[in-house]
Every structure is written in C-alpha cells, then in structure tokens.
C-alpha cells in the first residue's frame, strides 16, 4: 500500500537516485560501523546504508512506517519522537563508544533536533544531515555576514562543519518549497570547556537585537552579572567571532 506523506510530520521523501548515491558517498559508511538514522521514511537512504554497514538503528515517529521498517531483518527500529531519544543510552545499548548519526531531518523541527544532539555530542563520531539549505547556510556562516547568528555560534563552538551537497526540490516526493542541502558535522576533539547553557543565554541576548550595538543588549546583561573583564560592546553581534563568544562564556 502506498504511503501518503503526512504534513504534520513534515514528510518529504527522497526519490532521486543520483542524490541518494551522492549522500551515501559523502557519509562513506563502512561495514560494522554503529549508525543511527533519523527519519528513515520509505528507506530510500536506509537501504544503501544498511547494505554497507550490515546493521542499522533507525528512529521513526510514524507508526505505519515503523511497522514496515520492522519487517527488515537488519534494522533495529526505535519508534519515537527523536527529541525524546537518549542517544547516550543508544550508544550504551549498542555497546559502542561513538555513533555515526545520519538523516533527512523534518525541516519544521530541525533546529531543536540539532540542539538535542548537542547534549549527546560526547557519543557522536559524526553527523550527516539533509536540511533546508538556508538553515545550513546559517550553521556554517562566517562573522559579519547576514546568515551569522545564534545557530552559527552554538554549533561552531562544538563542531567542524561543511556544506557537502546541494539538493533541489525535485529530488523529493512531494517536492518541498525550499532548496535543501547536506551538512557534515564532526565534533571538535578538544572544544573549549564551558557551560553550554551559559553560552546559549549569552548568544541569545547578543543576537536579540541584531541591528543595535552590543552595549544595548549584551553590555547590560554583563553589567547585571557584575562582569569585570574586557569585552568590546561597541560592535554588533554579527561582528564578534565564535572564539570571542566562547572566551567570554569561559570568563563568566
């Protein structure tokens, strides 16, 4: 029976064989690697991946799709909202130190998924995700560009990232109204030690009024915390490099 894509799950199923091959090549799966796929859908990416690695853990929220996937002998199916999945526990269950995580993420909740995985980064070897292209542009953006913002800082602190593949709307059924792309995210081996929640709050305050100088936003926030260190607030939030935000969070 044909599966009808469900809007509430943000379902757009990958159907372009060349794009699928391009994504698998970018991931470069090897036999025996512990891999977790988020949102396998109709298994367009799942099948070539499982053929390479042998066994695959998949996370699927749609009950009908999960039922179909369970019929595949090489798949372990976690029927759940990905935001409720404890990836650290998944790694423990598989008895491995690190997971490779892949997926065509639902565009309506892609940012919450990225922040959820950030909490489990210690058990992640790498991540390859298909996302809305404009989200990836923000993830990999450099300072002093319009795309540079909270997402850029929070993720670049912890991951080395690159946009590895452009994916046009016609590669999907049904086609989304936006361009897509694939990002590679590799956790940094020696990230700066800090409190992630503090960095998140700091960056949120900084970018709350992008057009204003930081003395109006972050400057006041720092004053309220009685910060006695040096930080130039005569700039706009987008002019401050990731390393300076990280250093400020450490100083606090």
């Amino acid at each position: 029976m044909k599966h009808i894509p469900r809007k509430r799950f943000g379902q757009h199923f990958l159907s372009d064989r060349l794009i699928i091959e391009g994504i698998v090549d970018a991931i470069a799966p090897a036999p025996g690697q512990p891999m977790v796929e988020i949102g396998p859908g109709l298994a367009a990416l799942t099948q070539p991946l499982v053929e390479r690695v042998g066994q695959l853990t998949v996370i699927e929220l749609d009950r009908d799709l999960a039922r179909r996937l369970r019929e595949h002998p090489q798949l372990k199916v976690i029927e759940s909202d990905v935001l409720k999945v404890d990836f650290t526990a998944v790694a423990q269950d598989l008895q491995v130190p690190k997971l490779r995580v892949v997926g065509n993420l639902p565009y309506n909740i892609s940012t919450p998924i990225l922040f959820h995985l950030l909490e489990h980064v210690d058990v992640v070897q790498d991540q390859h995700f298909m996302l809305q292209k404009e989200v990836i542009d923000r993830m990999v953006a450099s300072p002093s560009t319009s795309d540079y913002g909270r997402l850029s800082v929070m993720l670049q602190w912890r991951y080395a990232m690159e946009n590895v593949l452009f994916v046009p709307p016609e590669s999907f059924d049904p086609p989304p109204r936006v361009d897509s792309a694939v990002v590679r995210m590799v956790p940094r081996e020696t990230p700066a030690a800090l409190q992630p929640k503090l960095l998140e709050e700091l960056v949120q305050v900084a970018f709350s009024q992008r057009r204003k100088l930081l003395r109006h936003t972050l400057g006041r926030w720092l004053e309220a915390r009685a910060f006695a260190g040096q930080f130039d607030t005569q700039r706009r939030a987008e002019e401050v490099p990731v390393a300076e935000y990280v250093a400020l969070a450490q100083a606090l």
Side-chain angles (χ1 to χ4, degrees):
M1 194 170 91
K2 190 177 189 305
H3 181 83
I4 298 168
R6 292 176 175 163
K7 272 191 179 178
R8 68 191 174 102
F9 292 152
Q11 290 178 340
H12 296 277
F13 298 118
L14 198 54
S15 54
D16 185 320
R17 300 269 18 128
L18 282 175
I19 291 290
I20 292 165
E21 286 173 17
I23 295 170
V24 174
D25 287 345
I27 296 169
Q33 287 183 331
M35 192 168 286
V36 178
E37 184 185 6
I38 298 169
L42 297 175
L45 192 58
T46 312
Q47 189 54 39
L49 286 176
V50 80
E51 285 171 8
R52 303 257 195 120
V53 297
Q55 294 284 331
L56 187 65
T57 299
V58 298
I59 300 167
E60 179 57 63
L61 177 59
D62 188 311
R63 191 183 307 141
D64 295 338
L65 292 175
R67 191 185 304 123
R68 287 188 190 196
L69 292 161
R70 280 196 191 91
E71 294 171 5
H72 196 301
Q74 293 164 285
L75 299 182
K76 178 186 178 183
V77 181
I78 299 172
E79 187 180 327
S80 173
D81 176 346
V82 65
L83 296 176
K84 295 176 181 174
V85 173
D86 183 337
F87 284 85
T88 304
V90 172
Q92 289 169 350
D93 288 346
L94 293 172
Q95 298 181 329
V96 295
K98 303 274 186 181
L99 302 168
R100 302 195 70 195
V101 186
V102 302
N104 172 14
L105 300 189
Y107 293 177
N108 53 348
I109 59 161
S110 58
T111 301
I113 292 172
L114 292 170
F115 278 99
H116 177 61
L117 277 159
L118 189 55
E119 296 172 14
H120 300 278
V121 67
D122 291 337
V123 297
V124 172
Q125 179 183 323
D126 61 12
Q127 298 173 170
H128 290 81
F129 294 133
M130 182 145 53
L131 296 160
Q132 197 168 327
K133 181 182 175 293
E134 68 173 41
V135 173
I136 292 179
D137 288 344
R138 283 162 44 210
M139 291 165 68
V140 303
S142 300
S144 299
T145 63
S146 59
D147 286 325
Y148 184 72
R150 172 175 166 256
L151 197 62
S152 322
V153 177
M154 288 303 299
L155 295 179
Q156 288 178 35
W157 153 62
R158 203 58 187 81
Y159 302 92
M161 295 182 292
E162 61 177 315
N163 184 340
V164 293
L165 187 69
F166 173 75
V167 185
E170 55 269 25
S171 300
F172 300 87
D173 180 28
R177 294 177 181 173
V178 294
D179 289 331
S180 304
V182 176
V183 66
R184 176 181 293 124
M185 306 173 68
V186 181
R188 299 189 185 280
E189 283 186 21
T190 52
L194 51 75
Q195 294 177 33
K197 291 294 179 193
L198 180 63
L199 179 65
E200 190 172 356
E201 185 183 344
L202 184 160
V203 173
Q204 200 159 7
V205 171
F207 284 94
S208 61
Q209 299 181 61
R210 289 183 70 103
R211 296 182 186 280
K212 288 190 174 182
L213 292 177
L214 284 171
R215 62 188 168 88
H216 298 290
T217 53
L218 191 59
R220 289 175 181 169
W221 184 84
L222 290 170
E223 280 174 22
R225 287 177 162 263
F227 176 65
Q230 295 294 312
F231 187 81
D232 180 9
T233 57
Q234 293 299 115
R235 299 174 285 179
R236 291 185 173 87
E238 65 191 38
E239 296 175 307
V240 181
V242 174
E244 282 195 49
Y245 281 120
V246 167
L248 179 59
Q250 288 180 298
L252 287 163

